[in-house]
Amino acid sequence: MAIDDADHRGPARPGVRPDRSTLMIPVVLPPNPVQHFYRGGDRIAALRGIVPETDHQPEEWLAATVSRFGDPVTGLAVTGDGALLRDLVAAEPVAWIGEGQGRDAADVGILVKLLDARQRLPVHVHPDRGFAARHLDCPYGKTEAWFVLDTEQDCAVYVGWNQRIDRDELDRRRDDQDSEWMLAHMNRVVVREGMGVLVPAGTAHAIDGGIFVAEVQEPTDFSILLEWSVTTSTREESHLDLGFDAVMPAVSTDHLTEAELSALISGAGTRPPGRSFRALLSASADPYFRLTDAAASGGATEQRPAGFGVVLVTDGEGALVGARERIDVARGQVLAVPHAFGDWHVEGDATVLLGEPGAGWPATLVAPGAPGGSGIR
């Protein structure tokens, strides 16, 4: 099953250049909280200026043109006038993403989320592009990364196994829901604000309660839960409707060494941002997505090249200034920036976080069934 069904795919119109004036200005998006199987969401609500409806709204999907697995609606970004961002992109794909096409006309090559965990997330795994192409009719897997916005003291993320794991034993521990065994066999990394952590597809991972992150990922919702008993989810909802026999080969049992783990972590964001957009993730993330930040600091940031982007204003106020237009922004706002906005920069006192598709996208994406169809060429 793919992340959204074919009925929601807009028509592809390669090579057609729309009237660029129609999509010159970034779209300010209202809050889009998502109900989930774990607790959290108060820090998202505070940043975005809303009152949570429940204590199980721990995510917001920012500028999303894809939806939750098995659900054609949940997660999709809606504009202030009620239009789906997905439909706007599908109607004018060249204006939104430039030349080329990803999975379909509404594909923007990235999914950005706010994730505010008030309980530990379950141990889980996301499949890679090869598995998704073979089993889920999708050219994307779900490599993802976290950028820590806030954390309580001594909170940690768990990334990969700290020794090689026997597959049969992992199956038994999964069936027994042995959380203690799983966590004891994973690398525990205490996080601090500004840390970036890349999680390659296939890698077992979890997040402590108390951590608030911006998450960037491939644009899917494919998750294999090794641990479901700590959530409101069930075993039947934990294997992508494929069965555990089919999905467990997507789970790496390799030892993630200390050197390999260190290569997934960036401390760039632990220092104050400057006027140049700086990478907040390790270079290994670049083929999948990019996450940068910059602060105008009373002046102006450097130019950012034209392209689709998701902007979160993390502090202050100012303006996004494009080739022909400008739009005022303030802390807590989220904007979808179209390619047709042109090269742009930030002015004033605003600090922004920017999520963009991977370097070279969409030319780097290989369709399912094509030669080299596992993903990156």
Side-chain angles (χ1 to χ4, degrees):
M1 182 184 297
I3 188 64
D4 53 3
D5 58 74
D7 292 341
H8 296 282
R9 297 177 182 175
R13 297 197 290 170
V16 177
R17 292 186 177 274
D19 177 0
R20 290 172 62 89
S21 66
T22 62
L23 287 173
M24 284 298 298
I25 300 177
V27 175
V28 178
L29 295 165
N32 183 34
V34 173
Q35 185 90 359
H36 221 303
F37 56 53
Y38 63 99
R39 295 190 307 275
D42 56 285
R43 286 172 290 194
I44 295 175
L47 177 62
R48 298 284 275 138
I50 59 174
V51 176
E53 296 178 4
T54 77
D55 63 355
H56 276 70
Q57 287 184 333
E59 297 184 7
E60 182 180 0
W61 294 23
L62 309 182
T65 62
V66 294
S67 61
R68 175 178 281 171
F69 180 79
D71 180 338
V73 175
T74 300
L76 292 174
V78 179
T79 67
D81 61 6
L84 290 175
L85 179 64
R86 180 191 60 197
D87 293 346
L88 298 182
V89 175
E92 303 283 7
V94 176
W96 275 98
I97 69 167
E99 296 294 341
Q101 180 179 301
R103 176 187 174 185
D104 54 51
D107 184 11
V108 295
I110 189 172
L111 177 56
V112 182
K113 299 178 181 176
L114 294 176
L115 190 157
D116 177 22
R118 289 300 186 184
Q119 70 173 86
R120 182 178 61 78
L121 268 66
V123 178
H124 63 291
V125 177
H126 307 301
D128 65 15
R129 292 183 174 187
F131 182 94
R134 292 189 300 272
H135 298 279
L136 298 163
D137 190 30
C138 183
Y140 293 108
K142 194 184 171 187
T143 289
E144 67 182 22
W146 308 311
F147 177 72
V148 181
L149 298 171
D150 185 49
T151 180
E152 296 176 0
Q153 188 173 2
D154 198 40
C155 285
V157 295
Y158 302 82
V159 182
W161 306 113
N162 58 26
Q163 58 190 273
R164 185 166 182 81
I165 300 299
D166 179 78
R167 284 197 174 275
D168 291 338
E169 182 169 17
L170 179 58
D171 287 346
R172 291 193 299 271
R173 300 290 183 170
R174 179 205 66 216
D175 291 344
D176 292 341
Q177 286 297 278
D178 192 340
S179 303
E180 183 176 348
W181 182 91
M182 292 184 208
L183 294 179
H185 286 77
M186 297 177 74
N187 296 300
R188 183 177 188 268
V189 181
V190 176
V191 297
R192 63 190 188 279
E193 185 177 336
M195 181 182 288
V197 182
L198 177 65
V199 184
T203 305
H205 59 283
I207 299 177
D208 271 344
I211 300 176
F212 179 28
V213 303
E215 180 176 281
V216 288
Q217 60 174 81
E218 295 183 80
T220 69
D221 186 39
F222 300 147
S223 293
I224 301 162
L225 300 190
L226 301 180
E227 182 192 21
W228 55 85
S229 56
V230 297
T231 74
T232 61
S233 191
T234 66
R235 180 187 176 96
E236 288 69 31
E237 296 170 316
S238 300
H239 47 59
L240 297 172
D241 297 335
L242 298 172
F244 276 118
D245 287 347
V247 300
M248 288 304 288
V251 178
S252 173
T253 56
D254 292 341
H255 176 204
L256 185 67
T257 68
E258 183 176 345
E260 291 168 334
L261 178 62
S262 295
L264 301 177
I265 296 172
S266 171
T270 61
R271 299 177 292 277
R275 292 183 178 177
S276 296
F277 281 88
R278 61 177 178 179
L280 298 172
L281 303 173
S282 71
S284 299
D286 287 351
Y288 299 96
F289 37 69
R290 291 165 292 168
L291 186 69
T292 57
D293 71 350
S297 301
T301 67
E302 69 176 358
Q303 289 279 99
R304 195 66 185 168
F308 178 82
V310 181
V311 168
L312 170 66
V313 185
T314 56
D315 197 23
E317 59 184 28
L320 264 61
V321 182
R324 289 163 43 189
E325 303 284 353
R326 62 185 289 131
I327 181 168
D328 291 337
V329 298
R331 182 182 185 275
Q333 286 186 318
V334 171
L335 302 95
V337 180
H339 183 276
F341 190 51
D343 296 350
W344 59 274
H345 64 274
V346 182
E347 294 181 355
D349 291 305
T351 300
V352 299
L353 194 65
L354 170 64
E356 297 172 295
W361 181 89
T364 52
L365 191 66
V366 178
S374 59
I376 296 296
R377 287 193 176 102

